[in-house]
Amino acid sequence: RYNVRYRTAAENALHSCYRCCMQLAKESKMRTLVFCVINSDKRGYPRDEGANIALRTIRRCMEHFREDFDRIIFCLDNDADLE
């Protein structure tokens, strides 16, 4: 559950989650990867910050592993996440 007092820890945990997913996909030789929204309102994580961390982490991973992936897809199920 997100708590403002532990913001840095929450950011690090979310970043690590995306990074580990990318690493596991690379090790498994997966060429396409689909992500749902890992952070959520249920856990209280701010939408904008979560999206920023997700996109920044994936972009940085792609800078190093571009040759290993054909496509990364973000799957959204509501308009609020799309915004």
Side-chain angles (χ1 to χ4, degrees), residues 40-57:
S40 70
D41 287 336
K42 287 185 242 178
R43 292 190 175 94
Y45 209 103
R47 246 188 200 105
D48 290 343
E49 289 179 32
N52 184 32
I53 290 169
L55 295 173
R56 185 179 69 228
T57 302

Side-chain angles (χ1 to χ4, degrees), residues 11-27 33 35 38 53-54 56-62 64-65 69:
E11 288 174 355
N12 289 337
L14 188 58
H15 169 75
S16 179
C17 184
Y18 281 104
R19 192 182 68 238
C20 288
C21 288
M22 293 290 290
Q23 185 64 37
L24 287 171
K26 179 184 178 302
E27 290 171 3
L33 196 59
F35 285 102
I38 295 176
I53 290 169
R56 185 179 69 228
T57 302
I58 299 303
R59 180 180 46 81
R60 286 181 181 165
C61 287
M62 291 301 289
H64 298 285
F65 304 131
F69 295 100

Side-chain angles (χ1 to χ4, degrees), residues 60-73:
R60 286 181 181 165
C61 287
M62 291 301 289
E63 289 173 0
H64 298 285
F65 304 131
R66 177 162 301 282
E67 299 299 319
D68 297 311
F69 295 100
D70 294 327
R71 186 171 295 153
I72 305 294
I73 300 168

